[in-house]
Amino acid sequence: MIRINTLSGGLDLFRVNMRSVAILPIESFDALLSSNIRLEIMNMLSGGPMTVTTLAQRLNMLKGVVHRHVKILEDFGWIRQLSDEEARSMGLSREANRIYYIPSALVYLGFKIDANEHGVKIVIPTNYGAFIDMRGRKFILLAPTFVFHDCRNTCPTHEACLDWVKRVGKQYHVNVDEDDAARALMHLYMQLVLKEFRMYAANNVMTLDSPRLNSIIIKQANLVL
């Protein structure tokens, strides 16, 4: 977990626990891409925690409509609610039990499961990804036929970012062969995540805690023959 501080109005370091990477099913990306409103909500929350009321005011939309989009984003893993402790630590008003939302992670990758008679594979496609631009306080999304925030053509520091990504890639032995900073950064994140996953899978026991499977196992244990 990375500690994030939002006191200055943005996602700076040290106050809020945020996952560094969230790996979401491709369906989560489809749910996000199907609505420009959800993209705008992700973009606004990249600047700091907000309530549904504040989001509705800035979007100039009915609160109930915005709330439905927020719940979809939460259900699909893109955002989460701040805990009471986190809200208090940032001095955010808890009047009327206000609920604040923030992104659930700093980097998002998509995955899908391919299953056939030969086995099961977890696939992380290289063309689905998103991240929060901490410096620009905006949400960058890359999909096969869609880009939210075109860094290459709109950001004056694009070349500096691209140079930084390539230097970090060399530091961690990742070859970054991209001329777009956002895509280069996503490639770097993906390769590092894969390295972490391989290391974890090789050195740790992996378990699955499933209520459905637990129920079947308990019933089997109580089976009367």
Side-chain angles (χ1 to χ4, degrees):
M1 301 286 279
I2 294 178
R3 298 285 287 176
I4 303 293
N5 177 15
T6 62
L7 284 178
S8 62
L11 294 172
D12 305 313
L13 291 179
F14 305 125
R15 289 281 179 129
V16 178
N17 281 321
M18 288 186 72
R19 284 179 291 174
S20 52
V21 178
I23 303 178
L24 307 179
I26 294 299
E27 289 77 12
S28 291
F29 281 79
D30 294 338
L32 179 60
L33 286 163
S34 66
S35 170
N36 288 333
I37 296 171
R38 291 170 207 157
L39 286 168
E40 287 298 335
I41 290 172
M42 287 300 301
N43 198 51
M44 288 190 283
L45 293 180
S46 296
M50 292 187 188
T51 63
V52 170
T53 299
T54 302
L55 289 167
Q57 290 171 346
R58 297 201 180 180
L59 288 166
N60 195 27
M61 298 179 64
L62 293 175
K63 182 177 175 181
V65 174
V66 174
H67 183 261
R68 286 196 292 272
H69 286 288
V70 166
K71 290 304 296 178
I72 290 172
L73 289 172
E74 186 177 16
D75 290 344
F76 277 95
W78 291 102
I79 64 176
R80 71 170 179 85
Q81 298 179 19
L82 278 183
S83 68
D84 290 343
E85 181 182 353
E86 289 171 325
R88 283 195 300 269
S89 72
M90 287 182 278
L92 295 172
S93 172
R94 296 292 295 153
E95 182 182 352
N97 295 319
R98 290 179 180 173
I99 297 175
Y100 295 87
Y101 292 89
I102 60 169
S104 61
L106 298 175
V107 178
Y108 301 85
L109 298 177
F111 80 90
K112 61 181 180 179
I113 296 177
D114 285 346
N116 54 42
E117 66 274 16
H118 302 296
V120 177
K121 292 191 299 183
I122 298 176
V123 180
I124 300 181
T126 59
N127 51 1
Y128 281 92
F131 65 92
I132 294 173
D133 179 351
M134 300 284 286
R135 179 178 49 84
R137 296 180 183 177
K138 58 187 178 182
F139 179 70
I140 311 294
L141 173 68
L142 303 173
T145 59
F146 181 85
V147 175
F148 187 68
H149 282 312
D150 184 4
C151 297
R152 184 176 182 181
N153 295 314
T154 61
C155 181
T157 60
H158 174 268
E159 294 304 317
C161 286
L162 180 60
D163 178 68
W164 177 84
V165 173
K166 291 187 175 183
R167 283 190 283 113
V168 173
K170 288 181 180 179
Q171 180 182 349
Y172 288 96
H173 308 291
V174 175
N175 181 37
V176 180
D177 187 20
E178 295 276 357
D179 58 4
D180 178 271
R183 295 191 181 280
L185 191 56
M186 283 310 312
H187 176 78
L188 174 64
Y189 286 143
M190 183 171 295
Q191 293 305 313
L192 292 177
V193 167
L194 290 175
K195 286 186 178 184
E196 290 286 333
F197 185 77
R198 291 190 191 102
M199 187 183 306
Y200 181 87
N203 298 316
N204 294 274
V205 174
M206 302 180 70
T207 61
L208 178 64
D209 186 13
S210 164
R212 182 184 303 173
L213 290 175
N214 288 346
S215 174
I216 293 172
I217 292 168
I218 290 171
K219 289 178 181 178
Q220 186 270 338
N222 293 327
L223 182 65
V224 177
L225 299 176

